[in-house]
Structures are given as structure tokens and as C-alpha cells.
Amino acid sequence: MVGVVFATASAEAQPFPAENFGDTTDIPVPADYDGDGITDIAVFRPSTGTWFVRNQFNARWGQNGDVPIPLDRDGDGRPELIVYRPSDGTWYSNNPATGVVESVRWGIASDIPVGRGAYWMSR
């Protein structure tokens, strides 16, 4: 089964174009992954811990049970791939542009992680 992404083409009352991207169990993680000022279509697949960013890259960063949060921590205009792992209360960050990997233990299993909203549209 494939997930469907809807996007608005203009501010006018036009039909929404649809694009098949991802699986029905994927978690949407839209963000501006290439820093061009346009939000990119992306999903996180919990079953494999893989991020799929349409027409850009796929990256395995995370595992089943992780909560994905794309967040621009370093201010370069592109989000790092961040997951919160409730099982051990740890945040794991991977910067695809620089290769810098970080982790910090901060939280417990019942916490709900947020980063400008759990899943958000950037810019």
C-alpha cells in the first residue's frame, strides 16, 4: 500500500494534486532538506528506521519505535535527522550535510517530544 501526499498548487481554488509517496505506515516529516526555501516531501519509515526525502536521499537513521523530528539545530537552513527514542529517553541527531552525529539522554518513555510541533511544515 502506498501513502498519498496532497499539495496545493496555488492560492486559487484549484484541485489538489496528489502524489504517491511512501507507505501507509510511514510518518510524514516534511522540511526544507536542501535549503532552497521550499518544503520537501519526506517520510520516516518506523519499521526500518529509514528517512525518504523525495528526489534527494534516503537515510537509515533510527529504529522502530523512534519518533522522527527534522529540526535545523545548526542554523544552516537544512534540518538534521533527529529521532527521540522513548525506550531509553535519548535524542539522536545526524547532520546529513556534515556527517556530525550526536546523542543526548534527556527524557523518559512517557515524554512527548516536540520541535516546533511534533510534525510540521518548515518555512
Side-chain angles (χ1 to χ4, degrees):
M1 177 96 19
V2 175
V4 178
V5 176
F6 293 93
T8 183
S10 69
E12 300 173 17
Q14 300 281 331
F16 289 104
E19 179 172 332
N20 291 327
F21 189 77
D23 290 335
T24 58
T25 58
D26 290 348
I27 298 170
V29 286
D32 182 11
Y33 289 91
D34 56 7
D36 66 359
I38 300 170
T39 299
D40 301 304
I41 295 172
V43 296
F44 174 76
R45 184 160 300 152
S47 62
T48 62
T50 304
W51 297 67
F52 296 92
V53 181
R54 186 181 62 138
N55 298 328
Q56 292 183 47
F57 66 87
N58 301 338
R60 190 163 195 286
W61 184 254
Q63 65 185 31
N64 200 5
D66 287 352
V67 179
I69 301 177
L71 182 64
D72 183 10
R73 291 182 56 226
D74 62 7
D76 69 354
R78 297 172 294 186
E80 286 68 52
L81 307 181
I82 300 172
V83 294
Y84 173 67
R85 188 161 299 152
S87 62
D88 65 7
T90 303
W91 296 76
Y92 297 91
S93 174
N94 179 356
N95 187 324
T98 64
V100 173
V101 173
E102 299 175 282
S103 67
V104 61
R105 190 166 188 175
W106 193 49
I108 59 174
S110 60
D111 288 347
I112 299 172
V114 294
R116 291 180 47 201
Y119 307 113
W120 70 89
M121 299 294 282
S122 69
R123 298 186 221 286

